[in-house]
């Protein structure tokens, strides 16, 4: 018997929608709140939510858990506007990819008797909207819980039970500063690289005929939601600038080795990168 | 009825081995030549080759087609040593990822009555050796034929028939200079980036817990064969240095936009990269 049975998802985009599908399959009662009615209709039609609306007044008072799957910059306003409808004891959470910029503000807005647990599911797709929601993307994915001085073990336990139930893999508890620093490296930097790689193409070339798996893999995420990712980049700009600089230094080592005809430095870089990638594989970072 | 029935593969590594498997499945008579006997035994045992040996004297005189799947820098020596055993009318080919550095030398070494057709199958795996050979990697992959003034239509037709037979997708004929320029961008640059990305990791971080699909995709090829790839990088160094510089410029645009808090420039870069990636997808670059 689940302790937290009724869950409202705010924002039926690709992440919120995937949560809704997964939660409904696992027997939770799921409500959906979304600005556009089309996604609500679609989500009801496919059984991802039991009911939904454009605003949450009807659903927040019923919810044991609320997951706000909006863009990072919309969450504070949302809580200001609708926090009063949240019932006592509710566990509120988010799915935002960066945390530092809003943690303090949000902690001040949490209604009495409730807790906001900052969460970052390491799952998503480059497409937008409920029609691309798919609970498969959650399976085995890393799940980060970002603790603040207000975070309680009880909230961590409640959320862990839910996300384990719907298929997430490793759950890791971290703090705000570490989260935003490491995520700049593992998430925002790869997106910056993919964008820069495809944008440096010579458009006069028939590039498509010269593509192997490497270029395919490295450019997949170059198809990027510009509104969300400009928020994520600018909301974490100091960390991202630092990590871009570290990357530039490593690339410069390779470039200089080419200029110098220095096979030994190239081989050392390749051996180091291979060892590191193999070490990550041993930690089972690859899903399936 | 196949015109070219008997094919010898020199080098039963991951690429040569994959060819052997695919060709045998399609009814060709395949011989394998390899320095280590273990791969020959394994290839015979699994039916990838009919017979094999450490040197080609016995097999070259029987072969309609010879595919030299060695490292780029070994091919010239190999032809010098064993070219005399190749029979009249034989079509000789390679699988090397760069061409400029050896095309002239090889064209001088081709035995009378034979032709060397420079080929680059855009397929491979980061692992080494016959045990990782798999004909699946060839399915739908791009196949590049690199023409020189010596190239005949007849050789192109013979090779196209074979590689279409074993499952390659788009076949593209290009020239040496274009090939090495574009391949620096689509193949060597992504490898340089993947290596630099994983080598810029802060080893004190528990990176594995913070990984999503983006980091997974961008570092897969960081597990790299250092001997082969240092050859490929240095054998194409001028093109690779140029393309690294173009990439650095695009990344610098993103970094500067972060420093300037310039959301508009970020969004423009993301829209451009998304458009380019979608345009590539329309050209069906993604296999399966």
């Amino acid at each position: 018997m689940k302790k937290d049975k009724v869950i409202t998802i705010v924002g039926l985009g690709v992440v919120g929608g995937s949560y809704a599908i997964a939660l409904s399959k696992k027997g939770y009662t799921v409500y959906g709140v979304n600005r556009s009615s089309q996604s609500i209709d679609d989500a009801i039609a496919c059984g991802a939510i039991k009911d939904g609306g454009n605003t949450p007044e009807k659903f927040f008072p019923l919810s044991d858990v609320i997951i706000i799957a909006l863009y990072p910059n919309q969450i504070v306003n949302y809580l200001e506007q609708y926090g009063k409808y949240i019932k006592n004891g509710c566990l509120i959470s988010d799915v935002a990819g960066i945390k530092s910029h809003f943690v303090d503000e949000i902690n001040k807005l949490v209604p009495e008797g409730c807790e906001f647990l900052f969460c970052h599911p390491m799952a998503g797709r480059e497409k937008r909207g409920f029609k691309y929601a798919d609970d498969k993307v959650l399976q085995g994915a890393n799940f980060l819980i970002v603790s603040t001085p207000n975070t309680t073990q009880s909230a961590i336990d409640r959320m862990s039970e839910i996300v384990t139930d719907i298929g997430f893999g490793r759950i890791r508890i971290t703090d705000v500063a570490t989260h935003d620093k490491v995520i700049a490296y593992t998430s925002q930097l790869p997106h910056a690289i993919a964008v820069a790689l495809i944008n440096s193409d010579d458009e006069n070339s028939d590039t498509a005929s010269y593509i192997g798996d490497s270029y395919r893999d490295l450019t997949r995420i170059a198809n990027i939601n510009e509104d969300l990712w400009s928020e994520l980049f600018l909301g974490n700009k100091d960390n991202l600038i630092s990590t871009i600089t570290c990357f530039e230094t490593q690339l410069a080592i390779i470039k200089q080795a080419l200029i110098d005809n220095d096979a030994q430095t190239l081989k050392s870089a390749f051996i180091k990168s291979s060892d590191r990638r193999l070490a990550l594989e041993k930690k089972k970072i690859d899903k399936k």
Side-chain angles (χ1 to χ4, degrees), chain A:
Chain A
M1 173 67 186
K2 299 176 199 302
K3 286 193 298 276
D4 293 307
K5 176 80 186 144
V6 181
I7 301 182
T8 290
I9 310 289
V10 179
L12 293 173
V14 68
V15 174
S18 301
Y19 268 74
I21 293 168
L23 289 164
S24 286
K25 280 191 185 170
K26 282 289 177 178
Y28 295 88
T29 301
V30 183
Y31 298 115
V33 181
N34 200 67
R35 210 164 35 182
S36 101
S37 301
Q38 185 63 54
S39 296
I40 297 167
D41 295 344
D42 293 347
I44 292 173
C46 77
I49 60 173
K50 187 180 172 191
D51 193 9
N54 302 119
T55 55
E57 296 88 337
K58 191 172 143 194
F59 308 105
F60 277 5
L62 308 172
S63 303
D64 304 315
V65 175
I66 294 168
I67 296 170
I68 307 180
L70 299 175
Y71 287 6
N73 292 353
Q74 299 170 323
I75 301 175
V76 168
N77 284 346
Y78 207 86
L79 274 182
E80 277 175 340
Q81 197 171 355
Y82 297 113
K84 58 185 172 228
Y85 300 107
I86 298 174
K87 80 169 179 184
N88 192 42
C90 181
L91 177 63
I92 315 161
S93 189
D94 69 327
V95 302
I98 51 173
K99 303 299 182 189
S100 315
H101 70 304
F102 64 26
V103 160
D104 291 343
E105 260 185 301
I106 287 179
N107 272 338
K108 282 183 211 144
L109 288 168
V110 178
E112 188 77 25
C114 298
E115 181 169 343
F116 196 105
L117 188 70
F118 296 92
C119 293
H120 180 186
M122 299 288 296
R125 302 176 72 174
E126 295 309 322
K127 316 262 184 183
R128 309 183 195 197
F130 182 76
K131 66 176 175 291
Y132 296 106
D134 185 344
D135 58 320
K136 282 197 210 81
V137 300
L138 314 179
Q139 305 311 307
N142 283 325
F143 191 88
L144 302 174
I145 294 175
V146 183
S147 70
T148 74
N150 295 13
T151 303
T152 67
Q153 187 60 45
S154 149
I156 293 172
D157 293 343
R158 287 169 71 184
M159 185 55 71
S160 299
E161 191 174 321
I162 294 167
V163 299
T164 302
D165 208 12
I166 60 176
F168 277 97
R170 179 180 351 215
I171 297 171
R172 174 86 154 81
I173 298 161
T174 182
D175 62 272
V176 176
T178 304
H179 174 271
D180 281 13
K181 178 173 177 287
V182 184
I183 223 67
Y185 171 65
T186 60
S187 174
Q188 286 133 31
L189 176 60
H191 283 81
I193 288 171
V195 168
L197 173 58
I198 204 161
N199 284 354
S200 65
D201 187 13
D202 174 357
E203 286 202 281
N204 296 319
S205 300
D206 171 25
T207 309
S209 296
Y210 294 81
I211 288 175
D213 288 332
S214 56
Y215 191 83
R216 243 176 239 123
D217 281 354
L218 266 78
T219 58
R220 197 166 289 120
I221 57 171
N223 179 7
I224 187 170
N225 172 335
E226 71 272 10
D227 295 319
L228 174 60
W229 283 89
S230 56
E231 265 190 35
L232 292 169
F233 273 38
L234 288 171
N236 199 19
K237 63 178 268 186
D238 293 340
N239 284 316
L240 182 51
I241 291 168
S242 298
T243 198
I244 289 175
T245 303
C246 291
F247 169 78
E248 287 172 332
T249 303
Q250 292 297 325
L251 188 60
I253 290 171
I254 294 171
K255 190 178 178 185
Q256 192 59 46
L258 289 169
I259 294 167
D260 299 341
N261 268 320
D262 179 357
Q264 201 45 57
T265 296
L266 287 181
K267 286 185 192 183
S268 300
F270 297 163
I271 290 168
K272 182 174 166 183
S273 68
S274 299
D275 288 348
R276 286 179 167 207
R277 176 67 199 184
L278 287 169
L280 283 180
E281 284 167 22
K282 286 206 186 99
K283 292 179 183 163
K284 299 197 198 308
I285 61 157
D286 291 310
K287 295 198 284 187
K288 79 194 169 234

